[in-house]
Amino acid sequence: MIKKIRISAVLFLFFAKVRTIMKKLILVFAFVPFLSFGQTHQTNLKKIYDTELSAGHTYHNLRYLCKVIGNRLSGSPGAAASVEWTRQLMESYDFDTVYLQPVMVPHWERGGKDVVKITNSTKHGVVELSALALGNTQGTGSKGLLAEVVEVKSIDQLKSLGAQVKGKIVFFNGPMDPTKVDAFEAYGGANAQRSSGAAEASKLGAVGAIVRSLSNRIDDHPHTGNQRYAADFPKIPALAISTQDAELLSQLLGEQTGLQLYLESHGEMKTEKLSYNVIGEIRGSEKPEEIIAVGGHLDSWDVGEGAHDDGAGCMQAIEVLRLYKQLGWKPKRTIRAVMWMNEENGLRGGQEYAKVAKAKGEKHIAAIESDSGGFLPIGFSSTGTDAQRGKLASWADLLRPYQLWNLQKSGGGADIGPLRDQGPILIGLLPDSQKYFIYHHTEADVFEVVDQRELELGAAAMTALVYLIEQEGI
């Protein structure tokens, strides 16, 4: 009897151990698909980077856009040429669909040399400053404008002066905050002077406005950029001067009262023109109705070549789809490359794209924009729901080996902003920001200042993120 009990106890312990082992095996085998899934992602991300960094087309394509076509202000021959060339480029890569989306755009022309002169300096006599008229500015014509200048550091300070600026030229000299490590944050803090300074000055009776260029460097390159007039007030001339000359003018104003400036510009708004967003896509194999838009803005200012702003982003977006074709991959969800037109002085392309998407009932799950220059990518900014941003954050371990460590910053992009109320997560490629505002909106924004490896790393980063989204959703 005792022997039977002992045998039963041994058997009980044996089967208990077997059950424990079986449970562990079940857990292991249940985890294998997830482990395999993660390994597949790691393998494919490496393929993306290896292919782009060894045989990418991004840099070559940017060279053609910048050196052959050149700058591309909306409504200009350069803009029209860039539309046709990018259409042909995407067709040459055999994307599933390539088409043009019509959009009416503003047509502003600079019209001639922009001039800002100090006319009565007791120390230097007549001093010509480096200047560029701001976008959409109504010029003075050849007659020019001569008036006393008054300096302010902000729009709030302007408003505190009130009627004291009547009949004068307002000089906005608020610098980008050098203590902000994020250069885009510093830019945002000073941008109102450029975008609405002339409008606010006009409301108080000023006859002209000049603005310190938005740059975190003291140099002699004036920076243009868009400005908007206020309805029912005079459209006064508005020009930017270089940071170096802003320092000089401020110094002279501190030494002499009654300093006068002569302004001359020839800008003119002409009749709107028909242009296009250029769109290419690879249709999804499993959920084609779910769209991932990736793009940049094709237009640029009329100085320089629009290399960092935003030729780089456009060529990176096209490269995302080209890499899929080269690797022989078919995405689960539809990937769409969009070259938006007219971000710089109207945002018409982004607005029209969102309008058409809504009218068609399209379902965008994500929109990714590269419009912060072709510099070293360090992550992605985003705007979306907690669940969407949480999904993005869940890929941190996959992206970190490629030095994409910053996934926390809020943001997105101007062209994709109009899509927000349709529900997609908005994502911006996030490069290192320190050098961007050296070149932004200047004659210095040319192909030669773009580093090939950094540009290609950005293209690979965008492709990697698109891959994760089209595979897993967001």
Side-chain angles (χ1 to χ4, degrees):
M1 182 67 180
I2 293 172
K3 186 176 181 180
K4 288 182 179 180
I5 292 171
R6 285 177 177 172
I7 292 171
S8 298
V10 170
L11 289 172
F12 176 81
L13 291 171
F14 172 75
F15 285 114
K17 287 183 178 180
V18 168
R19 283 196 299 272
T20 301
I21 292 169
M22 289 300 293
K23 286 180 180 179
K24 289 181 178 180
L25 286 173
I26 289 168
L27 287 173
V28 168
F29 283 111
F31 183 68
V32 164
F34 294 100
L35 183 62
S36 175
F37 200 47
Q39 291 294 335
T40 299
H41 285 350
Q42 290 174 355
T43 299
N44 286 338
L45 293 190
K46 188 174 189 309
K47 286 180 180 178
I48 289 168
Y49 273 83
D50 288 353
T51 304
E52 176 60 18
L53 295 177
S54 61
H57 290 198
T58 319
Y59 192 65
H60 169 77
N61 288 339
L62 182 63
R63 179 189 288 112
Y64 189 96
L65 180 66
C66 293
K67 307 313 291 186
V68 177
I69 295 176
N71 56 57
R72 309 168 295 279
L73 187 60
S74 294
S76 70
S82 69
V83 165
E84 181 58 22
W85 177 71
T86 50
R87 180 186 69 81
Q88 291 181 18
L89 181 66
M90 289 195 277
E91 287 179 344
S92 75
Y93 290 140
D94 196 28
F95 298 162
D96 293 349
T97 307
V98 178
Y99 61 98
L100 303 180
Q101 184 177 78
V103 56
M104 297 301 296
V105 299
H107 178 204
W108 178 78
E109 292 185 357
R110 187 171 301 278
K113 178 177 169 57
D114 301 309
V115 178
V116 176
K117 290 181 181 178
I118 302 170
T119 62
N120 63 337
S121 168
T122 55
K123 182 182 289 187
H124 303 287
V126 176
V127 182
E128 184 164 352
L129 309 180
S130 297
L132 279 175
L134 297 179
N136 296 351
T137 294
Q138 181 64 44
T140 65
S142 57
K143 65 182 183 299
L145 168 68
L146 180 67
E148 185 180 339
V149 60
V150 59
E151 179 181 7
V152 299
K153 295 295 181 68
S154 67
I155 289 178
D156 285 342
Q157 185 182 1
L158 165 73
K159 292 178 178 179
S160 72
L161 295 179
Q164 295 179 54
V165 303
K166 186 175 181 179
K168 296 179 181 178
I169 296 169
V170 176
F171 167 38
F172 291 93
N173 193 32
M176 288 172 57
D177 186 345
T179 69
K180 301 292 185 184
V181 174
D182 185 336
F184 279 89
E185 187 179 352
Y187 172 80
N191 184 48
Q193 296 174 95
R194 189 200 71 200
S195 61
S196 57
E200 296 300 326
S202 178
K203 292 176 184 178
L204 299 174
V207 295
I210 59 171
V211 181
R212 178 193 184 99
S213 286
L214 296 181
S215 176
N216 44 5
R217 173 188 275 190
I218 302 298
D219 62 22
D220 203 33
H221 292 297
H223 295 231
T224 188
N226 198 33
Q227 66 87 29
R228 298 178 295 275
Y229 287 121
D232 304 322
F233 290 92
K235 296 179 178 179
I236 63 176
L239 299 90
I241 60 173
S242 70
T243 51
Q244 182 172 289
D245 283 342
E247 295 284 294
L248 173 63
L249 179 57
S250 182
Q251 177 188 331
L252 295 179
L253 282 167
E255 297 172 353
Q256 176 182 340
T257 59
L259 203 66
Q260 292 186 330
L261 289 181
Y262 171 78
L263 310 184
E264 183 180 325
S265 61
H266 305 269
E268 183 181 357
M269 287 297 295
K270 297 182 177 294
T271 304
E272 290 188 352
K273 281 196 171 183
L274 175 64
S275 190
Y276 302 90
N277 295 326
V278 190
I279 301 170
E281 67 178 37
I282 299 176
R283 193 157 176 81
S285 60
E286 295 183 14
K287 296 185 177 182
E289 73 284 357
E290 295 188 3
I291 299 168
I292 304 161
V294 56
H297 64 84
L298 193 52
D299 62 305
S300 74
W301 282 108
D302 59 325
V303 294
E305 297 169 354
H308 280 296
D309 187 21
D310 185 28
C314 289
M315 297 306 99
Q316 288 169 332
I318 291 174
E319 188 74 351
V320 172
L321 277 67
R322 192 202 69 81
L323 285 170
Y324 265 77
K325 297 294 289 190
Q326 181 171 342
L327 291 165
W329 292 352
K330 187 70 174 176
K332 292 181 179 180
R333 294 165 172 85
T334 295
I335 307 173
R336 180 181 289 174
V338 187
M339 310 294 103
W340 285 285
M341 180 57 69
N342 185 233
E343 186 270 351
E344 293 293 4
N345 67 330
L347 206 64
R348 299 283 186 85
Q351 292 166 350
E352 183 67 15
Y353 181 84
K355 178 182 174 182
V356 171
K358 188 172 185 178
K360 288 184 174 180
E362 291 180 337
K363 182 181 179 182
H364 285 76
I365 63 169
I368 306 169
E369 184 166 6
S370 172
D371 187 19
S372 299
F375 299 100
L376 179 69
I378 59 174
F380 297 95
S381 62
S382 63
T383 298
T385 65
D386 289 344
Q388 288 170 329
R389 299 193 78 202
K391 186 73 171 181
L392 176 62
S394 74
W395 296 321
D397 288 343
L398 289 165
L399 297 172
R400 193 173 292 112
Y402 302 99
Q403 300 179 23
L404 300 171
W405 55 268
N406 190 341
L407 304 179
Q408 292 77 44
K409 186 180 177 182
S410 297
D415 293 290
I416 59 180
L419 281 170
R420 182 69 195 109
D421 64 0
Q422 297 178 40
I425 183 172
L426 307 183
I427 300 172
L429 179 68
L430 186 62
D432 184 291
S433 65
Q434 299 310 315
K435 296 180 182 177
Y436 185 60
F437 293 102
I438 296 172
Y439 308 110
H440 186 239
H441 297 176
T442 74
E443 293 179 348
D445 186 12
V446 296
F447 172 75
E448 287 78 6
V449 300
V450 177
D451 179 83
Q452 179 174 356
R453 186 168 179 83
E454 291 187 347
L455 179 74
E456 291 174 347
L457 283 167
M462 291 174 72
T463 310
L465 183 59
V466 166
Y467 164 79
L468 293 170
I469 296 173
E470 63 90 352
Q471 286 288 305
E472 294 195 17
I474 195 165

